[in-house]
Amino acid sequence: MHQPGSGTREEITIGVIGADELVHRVMSVARAAGNPSWRLIPAVYDDEQDAHAQAIKIASRVDVCLFAGPLPYDLATRQGDLPVPATYVPVGGSAFYGTLLRGALEGIFDPLRISVDSMSVDDVQTAYREIGLDPGQVHVQQYVQPESAGKFLDFHRALYERGETTGAVTTVPTVAQALVGAGVPSLKMTAAGVTIRHALQTAVLIGSGARLEESRIVTMIVRVPSGAFPAHASPSNYWYQELKLSLHRELLRDARPMDAAVLVRDEHSYLIVTTMGSLNMATDELTVAPFVGRIAAELGLQLEVGIGLGRSTREAELNAQAAVDKASAAGADTAYLVGPGETILQLPAARTGAPKPSSAPPKDTKAVDILGRLAAKLEDESDTERIVDAERVAELLGVTLRTARRMLNSLVDEGLAWPMPPARSSKVGRPPRPYQLLVEKIQR
C-alpha cells in the first residue's frame, strides 16, 4: 500500500469473497469506477460455509475482506477471527425493485404473491408502498443469524407447494440452486451497482484505517433538527434544558466505550472526537449509524449525525459539517460519513438485513395506555403540539382533576412527558403546569 503524500494516492487491496457471479459483478463495478487506488483479489466459493477458508487463503495479501453478503460474513467471522478487517455487501435496496420488475416482465412470478428472504419485513413493505403495490400476500423471512438462513429453502418451498405464492426471491446462491431443483420459480437478487460501489468505499475506509492508523482522528457532529422542538421552545424553558441535559448524558453514555470526547458545539449540536478504530467498533465496521437508533428509542429524538475524516483536525471537522448537512437533507434514521477524496457513505440506523433494534417498553404499561389515549384524542382534534395540563387531561379523558395530575406525574416518571414551566398569569393562585407529551416513544 502506498502512503499518501507528494501526490501519490494510497493503494488499498480488497479481497472479494463470494459466489462466482457476485465476485465477477464486484470486479466489474470496480473496473467501471476506474479508481486506481483500488486493487481487488477474488476468492470464489461454491458454498457459503467455505467463506472463512477462502478469506484465510488471501488474508496475507489484502488490507480488508469484502464478503458477498451478511450470511458469508457472519459464517466467516463465527468460525474464527480474521487477520484483517472485513465488511460485506448489504442486501435489498434498489436491487429488490429490479428483481420484482424482472420477475413480472419475464413471467417468472406474480410480484403480488411471492416469498422473499434476507430482507426485513419493514424494508419489503416500504418498497411495495413506494411503487403503489399491496404487500398483503407477500411473505418475508428476514436474515438474523446464519441459523435463520438454513430455513430459507423450506420457507419458500412450503409456501409454493401450498399455493400461497407463485415464486420466490432469494439472496443466497445455494438456496437459489435448491429452489430450481425443487421446481419453485425463483430469482436470485444480486446487489445493484450503486450498492456495490458503496460497499467498496466502505471496505477502502476500513482497510485504510487498519493499515494507516487505527488512531486516525474522527470528528462527528450530532445535531438536533430545529423542527424537533415545539415552536414556543426557548433556552429558558425548564423542559428544554432537561431535554438537553438528557441528550448530553445519553451521548456521553454511548461515547464512553469509544473513548470519545463530547463537547457542546452550539445550542443544538455537539462535537464528538474519537479514533478510526473506535468508530469501526461502535458502528460494526461502518454498517450502522452511531447514536441515532438508541437515542431515538430513549428520548424520542431524531438526530442528524455527520462523521468527518481528514488529514487534519480542521479537514475532519469541515467534512463532518458537510456530512451532517447531508444527513439533514436525507431525513431521520441515518448518518453520513464524508472523507478525503470525496468519499461519501450513508450509514443506516440499523444494520441492513437485521431486525431493527427496539427499546424495551416502559415498565408501567398503564402509563403507555394513558399516553396512547391522550394522543388519540389530540389527533382527533388536530392538536399537533401535544402540550396539555391537568385540566386538559381531565377534560379529554373524563377524569377528576386529581386523577389527571396523578396521570401526568406517572407519564413524567416513565419518561413519556416533559414538565414545562407554568405560563405567566394575572389570576390569583398557582398557574397550571403544562406538559409536553412524548408521543414518539409509543409510535415506533
Side-chain angles (χ1 to χ4, degrees):
M1 182 185 70
H2 304 293
Q3 300 294 330
S6 303
T8 302
R9 301 184 66 180
E10 56 177 328
E11 182 181 89
I12 300 297
T13 303
I14 306 169
V16 184
I17 304 158
D20 184 71
E21 180 183 350
L22 184 62
V23 168
H24 279 85
R25 176 106 170 95
V26 173
M27 304 291 281
S28 175
V29 169
R31 283 195 298 271
N35 192 321
S37 65
W38 296 357
R39 178 170 175 263
L40 275 61
I41 294 179
V44 177
Y45 56 67
D46 294 323
D47 190 287
E48 294 82 16
Q49 298 293 336
D50 297 329
H52 182 267
Q54 292 295 329
I56 293 298
K57 284 182 181 178
I58 63 172
S60 63
R61 296 183 287 150
V62 303
D63 298 315
V64 61
C65 286
L66 176 63
F67 288 90
L71 174 58
Y73 171 85
D74 284 342
L75 287 171
T77 53
R78 175 178 289 189
Q79 290 179 41
D81 292 337
L82 297 174
V84 294
T87 185
Y88 60 88
V89 179
V91 300
S94 57
F96 185 52
Y97 298 101
T99 305
L100 292 180
L101 181 61
R102 181 183 162 200
L105 293 178
E106 298 180 10
I108 297 172
F109 50 60
D110 176 3
L112 296 178
R113 295 178 59 237
I114 59 172
S115 54
V116 181
D117 69 42
S118 302
M119 295 178 64
S120 71
V121 175
D122 284 349
D123 287 345
V124 170
Q125 290 181 345
T126 298
Y128 271 77
R129 285 194 295 268
E130 286 180 351
I131 56 179
L133 296 179
D134 180 10
Q137 296 185 69
V138 177
H139 302 263
V140 181
Q141 181 98 339
Q142 71 182 37
Y143 174 80
V144 181
Q145 291 294 335
E147 291 77 15
S148 62
K151 302 174 183 177
F152 286 168
L153 176 59
D154 291 340
F155 161 72
H156 292 299
R157 184 166 51 193
L159 287 167
Y160 181 74
E161 290 175 351
R162 290 199 302 267
E164 296 183 36
T165 61
T166 60
V169 173
T170 183
T171 67
V172 183
T174 52
V175 173
Q177 294 171 6
L179 287 172
V180 172
V184 179
S186 61
L187 284 176
K188 181 166 66 67
M189 181 167 57
T190 303
V194 63
T195 303
I196 293 173
R197 282 194 297 274
H198 185 286
L200 284 166
Q201 288 180 325
T202 301
V204 167
L205 281 172
I206 293 172
S208 174
R211 284 293 303 271
L212 289 178
E213 297 179 84
E214 283 293 300
S215 59
R216 175 187 288 180
I217 296 298
V218 174
T219 298
M220 289 182 274
I221 295 175
V222 176
R223 187 169 65 192
V224 180
S226 56
F229 299 110
H232 63 271
S234 73
S236 62
N237 288 150
Y238 170 75
W239 75 269
Y240 176 83
Q241 293 298 328
E242 280 290 318
L243 182 58
K244 285 189 63 180
L245 287 172
S246 295
L247 174 58
H248 198 172
R249 184 170 58 248
E250 295 300 330
L251 288 174
L252 286 169
R253 178 179 167 185
D254 279 2
R256 192 172 296 115
M258 288 190 274
D259 292 324
V262 180
L263 308 170
V264 177
R265 184 167 177 261
D266 55 38
E267 193 63 35
H268 291 148
S269 67
Y270 297 82
L271 193 68
I272 298 174
V273 181
T274 186
T275 63
M276 188 67 187
S278 295
L279 178 67
N280 281 336
M281 288 189 291
T283 59
D284 193 12
E285 302 292 357
L286 302 181
T287 60
V288 62
F291 308 113
V292 174
R294 200 186 64 78
I295 288 179
E298 290 295 326
L299 301 180
L301 277 179
Q302 304 296 337
L303 299 178
E304 299 167 353
V305 177
I307 305 167
L309 307 181
R311 298 177 182 85
S312 66
T313 304
R314 176 60 178 162
E315 183 183 10
E317 186 170 349
L318 289 173
N319 284 339
Q321 181 62 58
V324 79
D325 290 340
K326 287 184 176 295
S328 176
D333 295 333
T334 190
Y336 272 83
L337 182 150
V338 173
E342 301 181 353
T343 301
I344 299 174
L345 297 177
Q346 184 178 9
L347 282 63
R351 172 174 147 173
T352 307
K356 293 183 179 178
S358 59
S359 60
K363 295 179 181 179
D364 188 353
T365 55
K366 189 174 181 181
V368 176
D369 177 63
I370 291 169
L371 182 57
R373 288 159 58 197
L374 285 171
K377 294 283 187 181
L378 293 171
E379 186 174 354
D380 289 342
E381 298 182 7
S382 300
D383 186 338
T384 57
E385 285 201 340
R386 296 162 178 166
I387 298 174
V388 298
D389 57 22
E391 289 186 3
R392 183 79 169 119
V393 171
E395 175 190 344
L396 290 170
L397 301 184
V399 298
T400 65
L401 197 57
R402 185 174 181 179
T403 300
R405 291 194 184 100
R406 190 165 59 246
M407 287 177 168
L408 285 169
N409 287 335
S410 70
L411 292 179
V412 173
D413 290 342
E414 294 299 322
L416 299 176
W418 288 100
M420 300 170 63
R424 294 182 180 179
S425 174
S426 58
K427 297 181 180 179
V428 178
R430 180 180 297 176
R433 177 181 289 278
Y435 293 80
Q436 176 73 55
L437 301 180
L438 303 180
V439 179
E440 297 83 0
K441 288 204 171 187
I442 62 171
Q443 287 183 336
R444 289 186 301 276

